[in-house]
């Protein structure tokens, strides 16, 4: 539904703080070995992101690409950000 570039754009432009908050809320329940493996293979675009934002973006990509248990929540988050984007554009 959303490609990687769109997901990153939505987070950076409309949901950076929320993404960081959600990541920190879920961090205790993340399988860190699996997340670390994903993170080692996932490359963010060459933009400079804060460490917190980079971790949050990677977390959302991890959940989205691997269809983790909270996939529906992540998809709702992206749909909400898309709605915000549309409102701002009008």
């Amino acid at each position: 539904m959303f490609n990687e570039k769109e997901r990153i754009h939505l987070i950076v432009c409309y949901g950076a703080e929320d993404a960081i908050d959600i990541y920190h809320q879920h961090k205790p329940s993340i399988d860190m070995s699996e997340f670390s493996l994903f993170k080692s293979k996932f490359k963010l675009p060459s933009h400079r992101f804060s460490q917190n934002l980079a971790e949050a973006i990677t977390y959302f990509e991890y959940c989205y690409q691997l269809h983790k248990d909270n996939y529906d929540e992540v998809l709702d988050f992206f749909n909400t950000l898309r709605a915000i984007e549309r409102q701002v554009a009008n």
Side-chain angles (χ1 to χ4, degrees):
M1 177 169 213
F2 298 97
N3 67 40
E4 182 179 300
K5 184 178 177 180
E6 290 172 318
R7 292 188 302 266
I8 293 171
H9 169 77
L10 289 171
I11 289 173
V12 170
C13 292
Y14 305 103
E17 289 179 26
D18 290 333
I20 291 168
D21 289 343
I22 292 168
Y23 167 64
H24 285 293
Q25 289 171 2
H26 288 92
K27 191 174 180 176
S29 63
I30 299 171
D31 177 344
M32 291 312 283
S33 61
E34 183 181 53
F35 183 65
S36 293
L37 179 61
F38 178 85
K39 191 164 51 169
S40 71
K41 295 177 183 178
F42 177 69
K43 300 297 179 210
L44 279 172
S46 60
H47 302 289
R48 291 222 167 241
F49 299 114
S50 70
Q51 182 64 29
N52 279 333
L53 183 55
E55 287 284 319
I57 291 169
T58 303
Y59 169 71
F60 275 89
E61 286 300 307
Y62 164 76
C63 295
Y64 188 91
Q65 290 184 26
L66 301 181
H67 289 256
K68 301 310 279 177
D69 291 340
N70 64 340
Y71 178 78
D72 290 335
E73 179 185 346
V74 168
L75 195 56
D76 287 345
F77 180 68
F78 286 123
N79 283 318
T80 299
L81 295 179
R82 174 61 51 85
I84 293 168
E85 178 183 52
R86 287 184 183 138
Q87 286 179 341
V88 169
N90 288 330

